């Protein structure tokens, strides 16, 4: 007998943080970037992402918090090519620039992009950007490492400590109040099975955005509700209790 159930995080719930077989036991990953002597990271918005061109800054951002992705690598900028850069997603760029305050973003014309300007451009790209940003900041407050989830049909993948050490624990889907697409039976089963093939659970974040967002402080008015979706296999459950 196999069924689906929704579990609120207010209930007792344990999730798997599956460690990778090949990892550096001596690896020491800082959760957030640390600029040397007050140095600020420099990013350039290209219309799709924010690029970190300086190789030392790119390595620092990826080694301290696992931010970004190498333009020629699966993970960090590790191809060895001199022209490889670090690509930052829109949410993590905004987080670094306007919440951690360690990144300066300029456009292709070289003009500084403040919070309002960046959010407006990001909303043109993705009308759900404010909800995604609220989810990103919320998950960061819980010490998750956050990467793109587009490969699995979601918004984010979240990891314990580092993708180099652990597999992703959750596929995260962000929605607005009143959105019901992901609660339709066929959609719910589909996204859950995609996540299950790689041993992940599905975390749906329902975000009520602030009425207006003209500064980074306005995001504190947003509310986030968590719902976990997991397939429940009765036989597996009984076997686990017998062990």
């Amino acid at each position: 007998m196999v069924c689906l159930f929704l579990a609120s995080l207010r209930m007792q719930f344990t999730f798997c943080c599956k460690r990778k077989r090949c990892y550096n036991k001596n690896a020491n990953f800082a959760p957030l970037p640390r600029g040397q002597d007050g140095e600020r990271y420099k990013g350039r918005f290209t219309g799709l992402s924010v690029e970190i061109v300086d190789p030392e800054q790119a390595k620092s951002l990826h080694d301290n918090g696992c931010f970004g992705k190498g333009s020629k690598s699966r993970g960090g900028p590790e191809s060895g090519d001199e022209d490889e850069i670090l690509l930052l997603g829109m949410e993590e760029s905004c987080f670094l620039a306007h919440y951690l305050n360690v990144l300066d973003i300029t456009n292709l014309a070289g003009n500084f992009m403040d919070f309002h300007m960046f959010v407006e451009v990001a909303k043109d790209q993705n009308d759900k950007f404010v909800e995604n940003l609220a989810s990103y900041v919320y998950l960061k407050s819980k010490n998750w490492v956050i990467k793109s989830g587009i490969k699995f049909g979601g918004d984010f993948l979240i990891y314990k400590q580092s993708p180099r050490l652990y597999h992703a624990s959750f596929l995260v889907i962000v929605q607005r109040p009143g959105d019901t697409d992901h609660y339709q039976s066929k959609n719910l089963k589909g996204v859950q099975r995609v996540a299950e093939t790689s041993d992940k659970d599905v975390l749906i974040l329902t975000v009520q955005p602030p009425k207006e967002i003209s500064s980074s402080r306005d995001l504190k008015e947003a509310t986030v509700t968590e719902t976990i979706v997991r397939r429940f296999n009765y036989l597996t459950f009984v076997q686990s209790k017998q062990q």
Side-chain angles (χ1 to χ4, degrees):
M1 176 182 178
V2 179
C3 63
L4 288 170
F5 74 91
L6 304 180
S8 167
L9 287 186
R10 288 174 295 183
M11 300 171 61
Q12 184 176 359
F13 178 81
T14 57
F15 55 87
C16 176
C17 291
K18 190 175 180 181
R19 197 163 188 124
K20 292 185 174 179
R21 293 180 180 178
C22 299
Y23 62 90
N24 184 355
K25 293 183 179 180
N26 297 320
N28 183 22
F29 298 102
L32 296 172
R34 295 168 293 184
Q36 298 294 328
D37 299 324
E39 180 186 7
R40 296 179 64 81
Y41 299 95
K42 306 297 182 182
R44 179 180 61 195
F45 176 62
T46 63
L48 294 175
S49 63
V50 174
E51 297 180 349
I52 307 296
V53 178
D54 183 275
E56 292 186 3
Q57 290 197 345
K59 185 177 186 304
S60 174
L61 273 177
H62 191 264
D63 288 348
N64 298 288
C66 299
F67 292 96
K69 175 188 178 300
S71 59
K72 297 184 177 181
S73 307
R74 290 185 60 188
E78 299 172 345
S79 68
D81 293 351
E82 293 183 358
D83 60 344
E84 184 172 24
I85 58 179
L86 186 72
L87 304 176
L88 297 175
M90 298 299 284
E91 292 84 8
E92 60 185 345
S93 298
C94 193
F95 176 75
L96 289 167
H98 302 292
Y99 290 91
L100 286 189
N101 196 30
V102 297
L103 172 67
D104 291 330
I105 303 174
T106 57
N107 58 21
L108 292 177
N111 299 320
F112 175 75
M113 299 183 71
D114 61 15
F115 178 81
H116 179 72
M117 181 185 300
F118 188 84
V119 169
E120 290 303 310
V121 171
K123 286 164 64 177
D124 289 339
Q125 249 189 46
N126 177 8
D127 63 359
K128 207 176 62 175
F129 174 75
V130 174
E131 288 82 355
N132 282 7
L133 177 62
S135 299
Y136 189 96
V137 174
Y138 175 77
L139 292 168
K140 270 297 180 185
S141 73
K142 294 179 174 291
N143 296 324
W144 288 107
V145 170
I146 309 167
K147 311 300 286 185
S148 172
I150 192 171
K151 179 180 178 180
F152 293 91
D155 293 291
F156 303 115
L157 294 174
I158 56 176
Y159 299 78
K160 175 183 177 180
Q161 195 171 354
S162 169
R164 298 179 187 178
L165 301 181
Y166 291 91
H167 294 281
S169 297
F170 290 98
L171 171 64
V172 180
I173 294 172
V174 179
Q175 66 179 18
R176 300 182 177 107
D179 290 350
T180 59
D181 288 349
H182 293 295
Y183 288 114
Q184 294 179 14
S185 179
K186 64 177 182 178
N187 294 339
L188 196 58
K189 291 179 181 178
V191 71
Q192 199 285 325
R193 285 175 178 172
V194 169
E196 190 180 57
T197 58
S198 52
D199 203 20
K200 300 173 181 57
D201 289 312
V202 176
L203 174 61
I204 298 177
L205 297 182
T206 304
V207 181
Q208 177 67 59
K211 294 181 179 179
E212 61 178 30
I213 181 161
S214 57
S215 72
S216 58
R217 295 186 298 274
D218 293 335
L219 202 64
K220 66 182 181 180
E221 301 299 327
T223 60
V224 180
T225 303
E226 305 177 358
T227 304
I228 290 176
V229 182
R230 170 180 280 185
R231 278 164 55 90
F232 178 72
N233 188 309
Y234 179 75
L235 294 179
T236 302
F237 174 76
V238 171
Q239 291 170 0
S240 67
K241 291 297 184 182
Q242 292 176 343
Q243 292 177 355

